[in-house]
Amino acid sequence: MAPPVAQTIHRDPALFYWILLPITVVMIFTGILRHYAQTLLQSGPKKQPVRLLRQQRSLMRGVNLRTNANVLSPSSFQTRKAYLVSAFQDGAFLADPENRGKPRGNPMSDPAMMEGMMGGMKANVAMMVPQTLIMGWINAFFSGFVISAFAPARLVKLPFPLTPQFKSMLQSGVGTRDLDVRWVSSMSWYFLTLFGLQPVYTFILGNNNAASQVTQQMAQMNPGAGMMGPDQDPDKLFLSEAENLEVVEHRWILDGVEDRLLARSK
Amino acid sequence: MSADLLSPPPHLPPAAALRLSQEAPRVLGNSSSKSLPYPFSLLYAAESPETWIRYENLLLACLRTGDDRSARLCLERLAERFGDPNQRVKALRGLYQEAVAPDNNALEAILKSYEKEIKDDPANMPIRKRRIALLKSMSKVPDAIAALVELLDVSPTDVEAWSELADLYLTQKLYPQAVFSMEEVLLITPNAWNAHARMGELLYISAISTTNNDGGTTRILSESIKRFCRSIELCENYLRGYYGLNLVESSYWQ
């Protein structure tokens, strides 16, 4: 294998000002724009109807009773358990007792559900539209040259050496194998700024900005990880909670607390 | 005790409240005067949640010290920012109106307006709580208890409401109900030593004020001792727990 030849590509220094800076600046401004678009599109936290609130919090009460049962004396625990178990089994806390046992309808037909979906869609659109536009713009203006006329002058050189594994990351849109990895194509520069500008946004917009892509994608990974997911049947949740309550082994933490206290103060 | 506007302790001594409310001219004066022209103001996020917490605490402190004018200003700022239909702003406005109400008729009118609000939006927790507080301060305790029970049916995980209910039941000498409410408080905050001590106090009061057969009283007193012990176990230098323990022990052996 021949030793690598030092590649000298003559490029116009003005390209720095006409490609690198514009891409970076445009990326920063779209980030800021996206942040404000997101803020405008955001619908405020939705009001929950009282019945849903009651259903959710009653379930929470059951969970609380199960996890913190040891603060209660045995008699009051038994009373509470009997009451909650029978109420859970009868569906006394359900938001709509008539629909009990029926399969859930199509989520599309429920307007409240639609609203939730629209919220997610809006956030997605606000993210996707500028991304597509900018990518098209960069493709049209900056990277056409690299591929058709093979003008590596469109490239920017990094000031440090890199291993060949970075080739796919840094030279997307460049069809040569032998080009030194240190050259970065404009397309790749776009991707790098796309993911790497988070600290800049934090500096400009403060901590809770909506400009970053990465946090958006993270948020989409687990939408609504709450225990009352929209697709879960609340009746089933209540029944399983009733079962959990039935089998709780109750131990009163106040049993022998005097001895523990005396032993500790010795 | 140092108290600042951002996180004042829940029970502010009068002197500290006065000191807080004296900061009003400074806080109300320095904001909204300097803001950058339009394109730059987008780049510079001036407001933070802390700003508005500060306003809210200042409002409360001003109402306590009778500085109604500053309180009004705080309220206007909050309403301007969050809009009048905001639940919390509504509750604060109600609080302000209660504070400046001249006589009982005005209070009745405010109570009516609260009831209308609740009918429009039953999930409006801040207003529901204001209504209960107003009922309590107008010494309509049974009404307040009924309203609280209704609230707790909707939201049974509300610690504040449960402990308030325990206090109200205690004023009506309904000890088993008070103990039940306190047990709910403990279920939600199982490691709160003050809640355990409060439970001990409730049990003690109920034991010494009922004159039934001897066995029941002894049982309640011994549970009261256990509760105080638990509160000391959770927090070693909780003086109220020690004092309560001493009190109950001495009456236990009589």
Side-chain angles (χ1 to χ4, degrees):
Chain A
M1 215 168 113
V5 192
Q7 290 170 340
T8 49
I9 300 174
H10 298 285
R11 68 189 177 107
D12 192 346
L15 284 172
F16 177 76
Y17 302 106
W18 289 104
I19 293 183
L20 194 69
L21 280 188
I23 293 182
T24 317
V25 169
V26 163
M27 286 304 293
I28 291 177
F29 275 107
T30 33
I32 294 171
L33 210 69
R34 189 184 301 128
H35 170 73
Y36 284 105
Q38 202 87 298
T39 320
L40 280 181
L41 285 178
Q42 233 166 26
S43 47
K46 205 154 49 72
K47 262 190 208 162
Q48 268 193 318
V50 165
R51 304 166 70 86
L52 272 183
L53 208 69
R54 176 163 181 261
Q55 167 179 294
Q56 196 177 342
R57 296 199 174 161
S58 303
L59 188 66
M60 279 290 291
R61 187 186 183 191
V63 175
N64 273 340
L65 177 63
R66 178 160 54 87
T67 47
N68 301 330
N70 55 12
V71 298
L72 291 184
S73 62
S75 65
S76 48
F77 173 71
Q78 293 303 336
T79 328
R80 274 188 173 72
K81 187 175 94 172
Y83 165 66
L84 279 184
V85 165
S86 73
F88 282 1
Q89 279 170 350
D90 296 346
F93 297 123
L94 286 178
D96 43 353
E98 305 91 55
N99 277 356
R100 205 176 164 215
K102 290 181 199 160
R104 292 183 71 80
N106 186 1
M108 282 302 179
S109 63
D110 188 357
M113 206 80 77
M114 277 300 275
E115 189 66 27
M117 275 186 206
M118 281 303 283
M121 293 270 276
K122 269 192 276 186
N124 255 344
V125 167
M127 192 175 73
M128 290 304 293
V129 167
Q131 203 174 327
T132 323
L133 283 183
I134 302 251
M135 208 161 148
W137 175 68
I138 288 181
N139 240 332
F141 278 85
F142 298 123
S143 100
F145 262 104
V146 182
I147 293 159
S148 63
F150 187 58
R154 294 289 176 209
L155 306 179
V156 181
K157 196 169 183 183
L158 289 179
F160 45 85
L162 285 167
T163 53
Q165 277 86 355
F166 284 92
K167 202 168 177 67
S168 61
M169 190 171 109
L170 295 180
Q171 291 178 358
S172 65
V174 180
T176 51
R177 293 247 190 96
D178 306 333
L179 198 61
D180 191 348
V181 196
R182 286 156 70 190
W183 297 97
V184 181
S185 74
S186 54
M187 204 61 195
S188 305
W189 182 250
Y190 161 73
F191 279 113
L192 285 184
T193 47
L194 186 66
F195 292 109
L197 279 180
Q198 175 60 29
V200 179
Y201 295 139
T202 314
F203 174 68
I204 299 176
L205 297 170
N207 257 330
N208 291 324
N209 64 69
S212 155
Q213 308 278 326
V214 187
T215 45
Q216 297 266 325
Q217 282 156 6
M218 295 281 247
Q220 277 169 18
M221 289 296 183
N222 50 354
M227 45 185 284
M228 269 292 193
D231 51 344
Q232 265 170 319
D233 187 1
D235 189 34
K236 293 241 172 61
L237 288 176
F238 275 118
L239 287 181
S240 76
E241 188 53 43
E243 247 168 57
N244 286 341
L245 271 178
E246 290 269 20
V247 298
V248 160
E249 186 189 356
H250 182 249
R251 192 181 71 82
W252 198 19
I253 201 158
L254 263 58
D255 273 337
V257 65
E258 300 97 331
D259 298 335
R260 289 205 299 272
L261 200 62
L262 286 177
R264 202 174 59 176
S265 60
K266 258 175 215 163
Chain B
M1 183 163 37
S2 75
D4 66 330
L5 274 177
L6 196 52
S7 55
H11 290 290
L12 213 53
L18 183 63
R19 205 169 49 70
L20 280 191
S21 75
Q22 278 165 351
E23 287 184 37
R26 192 176 58 77
V27 175
L28 291 172
N30 73 354
S31 63
S32 79
S33 55
K34 57 163 204 276
S35 66
L36 295 166
Y38 164 65
F40 300 104
S41 60
L42 284 182
L43 297 178
Y44 180 70
E47 69 165 29
S48 59
E50 286 81 19
T51 319
W52 304 109
I53 295 174
R54 219 169 259 141
Y55 273 121
E56 203 180 321
N57 288 327
L58 186 63
L59 169 63
L60 297 179
C62 286
L63 283 182
R64 272 190 72 177
T65 50
D67 186 358
D68 290 340
R69 211 174 52 81
S70 301
R72 175 101 210 154
L73 276 176
C74 288
L75 186 63
E76 291 308 322
R77 292 263 167 91
L78 284 167
E80 197 180 313
R81 171 65 183 82
F82 295 101
D84 269 330
N86 184 287
Q87 292 188 347
R88 206 150 149 178
V89 170
K90 267 186 192 165
L92 287 175
R93 188 175 293 277
L95 187 67
Y96 173 78
Q97 281 166 349
E98 283 171 42
V100 297
D103 53 3
N104 224 11
N105 290 341
L107 285 181
E108 290 283 354
I110 295 170
L111 194 64
K112 285 266 165 24
S113 75
Y114 284 165
E115 273 155 16
K116 190 172 158 293
E117 291 275 356
I118 294 169
K119 200 179 275 177
D120 289 345
D121 176 18
N124 193 341
M125 290 297 165
I127 288 285
R128 285 181 90 146
K129 287 189 177 175
R130 274 306 335 140
R131 173 165 175 256
I132 292 161
L134 183 57
L135 282 172
K136 188 184 163 196
S137 63
M138 290 165 79
S139 55
K140 294 180 179 172
V141 178
D143 289 346
I145 288 179
L148 256 180
V149 169
E150 216 171 283
L151 178 97
L152 282 168
D153 176 58
V154 173
S155 158
T157 49
D158 192 331
V159 172
E160 199 183 31
W162 277 117
S163 61
E164 188 63 41
L165 185 61
D167 282 352
L168 288 181
Y169 274 134
L170 183 64
T171 61
Q172 301 298 300
K173 301 195 168 36
L174 296 167
Y175 302 114
Q177 284 88 336
V179 169
F180 179 90
S181 312
M182 208 59 213
E183 279 174 349
E184 289 289 335
V185 172
L186 280 176
L187 276 180
I188 302 167
T189 58
N191 294 329
W193 55 84
N194 51 353
H196 275 282
R198 181 79 189 138
M199 184 77 175
E201 289 165 25
L202 282 181
L203 288 166
Y204 174 68
I205 295 170
S206 77
I208 57 168
S209 52
T210 50
T211 49
N212 56 352
N213 57 337
D214 206 15
T217 314
T218 323
R219 195 179 47 76
I220 294 176
L221 276 182
S222 75
E223 188 180 338
S224 171
I225 291 175
K226 280 180 199 282
R227 292 284 174 193
F228 280 119
C229 285
R230 177 70 183 156
S231 86
I232 298 169
E233 190 182 37
L234 286 168
C235 176
E236 267 182 46
N237 30 23
Y238 190 55
L239 265 185
R240 204 176 166 110
Y242 281 107
Y243 179 68
L245 188 58
N246 183 14
L247 198 69
V248 184
E249 289 279 1
S250 53
S251 75
Y252 186 75
W253 296 113
Q254 266 170 20

